[in-house]
Amino acid sequence: RAEIAPGAVHVPGWLDSPRQHQLVQACRDWARTGEMERVRLPGGGLLSVRTLCLGLRWRPYRYTGEPVQPLPDWLAELGRTAVADTLGGSIDPDVALVNFYDDAAKMGMHQDRDERSAAPVVSLSLGDACVFRFGNSQTRARPWRDVRLESGDLFVFGGPSRRAFHGVCRILPGTGPQGLLKGRLNITLRESGQGL
Ligand code: MD3
Ligand code: FE
């Protein structure tokens, strides 16, 4: 357990192996019903990551009203447990974003500002490791810290870290648990604040 910055807690290996397999299987099921798609930015660019939304559809830079698959109660409960285990307090997540990274995918430095709630965000990593860059709340430039996120890791971002710039610099192919998945999945649980 490491506090990377105030409100940013990294717990390596928080998910045991059966749990990781259960989550990957759930992602496969969701991907069959919904679409894992490369999201288009208003400027025309395409993200290299493939995203699937549960609960509410997310598009840069908003949550839309279009229906998507529901967020299962067991997944919201896992998010509540994650916050209770780290920062303490409670969340009531209504959205999960599932991001899939192939070997070449990455995510540039950005802030998550589309939620109207100040609640912490819960991040769960599965499959290949990545170099995750955790920056500051003022600028997308330095100072930042690079952290290796491995399969099973939990990261919770709350308080002063909720608005920090962050990104995924690269995937480390072949570093995930044998037989779990090729590539990397990241599940974030969020309170959209829609309807608050
Ligand atoms: C810090 N996802 O979905 S997870 C995202 O691995 C996103 O797919 C990355 O950035 C991924 O928006 C990073 C870590 C993460 C997620 C949400 C955050 C870090 C965060 C929200 C606020 C601050
Ligand atoms: Fe983000």
Side-chain angles (χ1 to χ4, degrees), residues 18-36:
R19 207 40 156 164
Q20 293 177 44
H21 279 87
Q22 182 211 2
L23 283 165
V24 170
Q25 187 52 51
C27 290
R28 292 200 169 104
D29 294 341
W30 296 323
R32 231 177 293 112
T33 325
E35 186 80 37
M36 296 218 68

mmCIF file of all heavy atoms in Angstrom, residues 18-36:
data_model
loop_
_atom_site.group_PDB
_atom_site.id
_atom_site.type_symbol
_atom_site.label_atom_id
_atom_site.label_comp_id
_atom_site.label_asym_id
_atom_site.label_seq_id
_atom_site.Cartn_x
_atom_site.Cartn_y
_atom_site.Cartn_z
ATOM 1 N N PRO A 18 -8.423 -15.528 -8.572
ATOM 2 C CA PRO A 18 -9.789 -15.864 -8.987
ATOM 3 C C PRO A 18 -10.622 -14.620 -9.315
ATOM 4 O O PRO A 18 -11.404 -14.616 -10.279
ATOM 5 C CB PRO A 18 -10.363 -16.602 -7.771
ATOM 6 C CG PRO A 18 -9.178 -17.119 -7.020
ATOM 7 C CD PRO A 18 -8.078 -16.138 -7.260
ATOM 8 N N ARG A 19 -10.460 -13.569 -8.528
ATOM 9 C CA ARG A 19 -11.181 -12.321 -8.759
ATOM 10 C C ARG A 19 -10.786 -11.691 -10.095
ATOM 11 O O ARG A 19 -11.612 -11.172 -10.839
ATOM 12 C CB ARG A 19 -10.842 -11.392 -7.589
ATOM 13 C CG ARG A 19 -11.808 -10.336 -7.181
ATOM 14 C CD ARG A 19 -13.227 -10.716 -7.202
ATOM 15 N NE ARG A 19 -13.965 -9.849 -6.287
ATOM 16 C CZ ARG A 19 -15.265 -9.709 -6.293
ATOM 17 N NH1 ARG A 19 -16.001 -10.384 -7.148
ATOM 18 N NH2 ARG A 19 -15.847 -8.916 -5.439
ATOM 19 N N GLN A 20 -9.474 -11.730 -10.401
ATOM 20 C CA GLN A 20 -9.001 -11.193 -11.684
ATOM 21 C C GLN A 20 -9.628 -11.953 -12.849
ATOM 22 O O GLN A 20 -10.088 -11.347 -13.823
ATOM 23 C CB GLN A 20 -7.476 -11.269 -11.766
ATOM 24 C CG GLN A 20 -6.771 -10.348 -10.771
ATOM 25 C CD GLN A 20 -5.266 -10.483 -10.816
ATOM 26 O OE1 GLN A 20 -4.664 -10.540 -11.886
ATOM 27 N NE2 GLN A 20 -4.648 -10.535 -9.651
ATOM 28 N N HIS A 21 -9.656 -13.296 -12.731
ATOM 29 C CA HIS A 21 -10.268 -14.099 -13.795
ATOM 30 C C HIS A 21 -11.761 -13.802 -13.907
ATOM 31 O O HIS A 21 -12.299 -13.706 -15.010
ATOM 32 C CB HIS A 21 -10.016 -15.592 -13.558
ATOM 33 C CG HIS A 21 -8.664 -16.035 -14.011
ATOM 34 N ND1 HIS A 21 -7.547 -15.961 -13.199
ATOM 35 C CD2 HIS A 21 -8.234 -16.509 -15.206
ATOM 36 C CE1 HIS A 21 -6.487 -16.401 -13.877
ATOM 37 N NE2 HIS A 21 -6.883 -16.738 -15.097
ATOM 38 N N GLN A 22 -12.426 -13.625 -12.789
ATOM 39 C CA GLN A 22 -13.860 -13.312 -12.800
ATOM 40 C C GLN A 22 -14.107 -11.975 -13.513
ATOM 41 O O GLN A 22 -15.028 -11.847 -14.324
ATOM 42 C CB GLN A 22 -14.395 -13.242 -11.360
ATOM 43 C CG GLN A 22 -15.896 -12.965 -11.291
ATOM 44 C CD GLN A 22 -16.303 -12.164 -10.047
ATOM 45 O OE1 GLN A 22 -15.479 -11.771 -9.222
ATOM 46 N NE2 GLN A 22 -17.602 -11.921 -9.924
ATOM 47 N N LEU A 23 -13.280 -10.984 -13.216
ATOM 48 C CA LEU A 23 -13.454 -9.664 -13.827
ATOM 49 C C LEU A 23 -13.173 -9.704 -15.332
ATOM 50 O O LEU A 23 -13.881 -9.075 -16.112
ATOM 51 C CB LEU A 23 -12.550 -8.636 -13.132
ATOM 52 C CG LEU A 23 -13.062 -8.166 -11.767
ATOM 53 C CD1 LEU A 23 -11.964 -7.451 -10.981
ATOM 54 C CD2 LEU A 23 -14.259 -7.220 -11.924
ATOM 55 N N VAL A 24 -12.138 -10.440 -15.743
ATOM 56 C CA VAL A 24 -11.841 -10.547 -17.182
ATOM 57 C C VAL A 24 -13.002 -11.227 -17.896
ATOM 58 O O VAL A 24 -13.428 -10.790 -18.973
ATOM 59 C CB VAL A 24 -10.511 -11.292 -17.423
ATOM 60 C CG1 VAL A 24 -10.332 -11.616 -18.908
ATOM 61 C CG2 VAL A 24 -9.333 -10.471 -16.910
ATOM 62 N N GLN A 25 -13.549 -12.282 -17.291
ATOM 63 C CA GLN A 25 -14.695 -12.966 -17.900
ATOM 64 C C GLN A 25 -15.888 -12.011 -18.008
ATOM 65 O O GLN A 25 -16.574 -11.982 -19.029
ATOM 66 C CB GLN A 25 -15.085 -14.215 -17.094
ATOM 67 C CG GLN A 25 -16.158 -15.055 -17.782
ATOM 68 C CD GLN A 25 -15.796 -15.405 -19.231
ATOM 69 O OE1 GLN A 25 -14.714 -15.906 -19.524
ATOM 70 N NE2 GLN A 25 -16.699 -15.104 -20.170
ATOM 71 N N ALA A 26 -16.114 -11.223 -16.965
ATOM 72 C CA ALA A 26 -17.208 -10.245 -16.996
ATOM 73 C C ALA A 26 -16.983 -9.239 -18.123
ATOM 74 O O ALA A 26 -17.918 -8.907 -18.864
ATOM 75 C CB ALA A 26 -17.323 -9.544 -15.646
ATOM 76 N N CYS A 27 -15.756 -8.779 -18.309
ATOM 77 C CA CYS A 27 -15.456 -7.835 -19.400
ATOM 78 C C CYS A 27 -15.762 -8.470 -20.751
ATOM 79 O O CYS A 27 -16.290 -7.814 -21.653
ATOM 80 C CB CYS A 27 -13.992 -7.389 -19.350
ATOM 81 S SG CYS A 27 -13.607 -6.314 -17.949
ATOM 82 N N ARG A 28 -15.403 -9.765 -20.903
ATOM 83 C CA ARG A 28 -15.703 -10.461 -22.167
ATOM 84 C C ARG A 28 -17.203 -10.504 -22.399
ATOM 85 O O ARG A 28 -17.676 -10.287 -23.517
ATOM 86 C CB ARG A 28 -15.150 -11.894 -22.131
ATOM 87 C CG ARG A 28 -13.638 -11.937 -22.141
ATOM 88 C CD ARG A 28 -13.092 -13.305 -22.595
ATOM 89 N NE ARG A 28 -11.665 -13.208 -22.825
ATOM 90 C CZ ARG A 28 -10.733 -13.678 -21.993
ATOM 91 N NH1 ARG A 28 -11.091 -14.317 -20.893
ATOM 92 N NH2 ARG A 28 -9.455 -13.505 -22.263
ATOM 93 N N ASP A 29 -17.984 -10.775 -21.340
ATOM 94 C CA ASP A 29 -19.448 -10.830 -21.469
ATOM 95 C C ASP A 29 -20.006 -9.457 -21.849
ATOM 96 O O ASP A 29 -20.838 -9.349 -22.743
ATOM 97 C CB ASP A 29 -20.092 -11.314 -20.164
ATOM 98 C CG ASP A 29 -19.724 -12.764 -19.839
ATOM 99 O OD1 ASP A 29 -19.299 -13.495 -20.756
ATOM 100 O OD2 ASP A 29 -19.860 -13.168 -18.660
ATOM 101 N N TRP A 30 -19.541 -8.424 -21.179
ATOM 102 C CA TRP A 30 -20.025 -7.066 -21.483
ATOM 103 C C TRP A 30 -19.682 -6.689 -22.914
ATOM 104 O O TRP A 30 -20.463 -6.043 -23.603
ATOM 105 C CB TRP A 30 -19.415 -6.042 -20.520
ATOM 106 C CG TRP A 30 -19.817 -6.227 -19.099
ATOM 107 C CD1 TRP A 30 -21.043 -6.630 -18.643
ATOM 108 C CD2 TRP A 30 -18.999 -6.039 -17.942
ATOM 109 N NE1 TRP A 30 -21.025 -6.695 -17.268
ATOM 110 C CE2 TRP A 30 -19.798 -6.336 -16.812
ATOM 111 C CE3 TRP A 30 -17.682 -5.637 -17.732
ATOM 112 C CZ2 TRP A 30 -19.320 -6.252 -15.501
ATOM 113 C CZ3 TRP A 30 -17.198 -5.550 -16.434
ATOM 114 C CH2 TRP A 30 -18.016 -5.851 -15.328
ATOM 115 N N ALA A 31 -18.478 -7.093 -23.366
ATOM 116 C CA ALA A 31 -18.022 -6.725 -24.710
ATOM 117 C C ALA A 31 -18.846 -7.424 -25.780
ATOM 118 O O ALA A 31 -18.891 -6.978 -26.927
ATOM 119 C CB ALA A 31 -16.545 -7.057 -24.874
ATOM 120 N N ARG A 32 -19.483 -8.543 -25.436
ATOM 121 C CA ARG A 32 -20.330 -9.233 -26.409
ATOM 122 C C ARG A 32 -21.664 -8.506 -26.575
ATOM 123 O O ARG A 32 -22.246 -8.468 -27.644
ATOM 124 C CB ARG A 32 -20.563 -10.686 -25.995
ATOM 125 C CG ARG A 32 -20.256 -11.646 -27.126
ATOM 126 C CD ARG A 32 -20.413 -13.109 -26.740
ATOM 127 N NE ARG A 32 -19.446 -13.573 -25.771
ATOM 128 C CZ ARG A 32 -19.722 -13.922 -24.510
ATOM 129 N NH1 ARG A 32 -20.952 -13.857 -24.054
ATOM 130 N NH2 ARG A 32 -18.766 -14.344 -23.717
ATOM 131 N N THR A 33 -22.167 -7.911 -25.500
ATOM 132 C CA THR A 33 -23.462 -7.218 -25.528
ATOM 133 C C THR A 33 -23.310 -5.762 -25.964
ATOM 134 O O THR A 33 -24.128 -5.243 -26.711
ATOM 135 C CB THR A 33 -24.103 -7.233 -24.121
ATOM 136 O OG1 THR A 33 -23.776 -8.462 -23.484
ATOM 137 C CG2 THR A 33 -25.592 -7.069 -24.218
ATOM 138 N N GLY A 34 -22.283 -5.121 -25.437
ATOM 139 C CA GLY A 34 -22.050 -3.716 -25.760
ATOM 140 C C GLY A 34 -20.867 -3.606 -26.694
ATOM 141 O O GLY A 34 -20.331 -4.595 -27.148
ATOM 142 N N GLU A 35 -20.497 -2.422 -27.002
ATOM 143 C CA GLU A 35 -19.406 -2.195 -27.946
ATOM 144 C C GLU A 35 -18.195 -1.668 -27.171
ATOM 145 O O GLU A 35 -18.322 -0.774 -26.345
ATOM 146 C CB GLU A 35 -19.850 -1.160 -28.981
ATOM 147 C CG GLU A 35 -18.883 -0.930 -30.114
ATOM 148 C CD GLU A 35 -18.955 -2.000 -31.190
ATOM 149 O OE1 GLU A 35 -20.079 -2.471 -31.472
ATOM 150 O OE2 GLU A 35 -17.901 -2.351 -31.745
ATOM 151 N N MET A 36 -17.019 -2.269 -27.444
ATOM 152 C CA MET A 36 -15.765 -1.665 -26.965
ATOM 153 C C MET A 36 -15.257 -0.853 -28.132
ATOM 154 O O MET A 36 -14.795 -1.427 -29.123
ATOM 155 C CB MET A 36 -14.732 -2.732 -26.608
ATOM 156 C CG MET A 36 -15.135 -3.626 -25.470
ATOM 157 S SD MET A 36 -13.756 -4.065 -24.387
ATOM 158 C CE MET A 36 -13.321 -2.553 -23.608
#
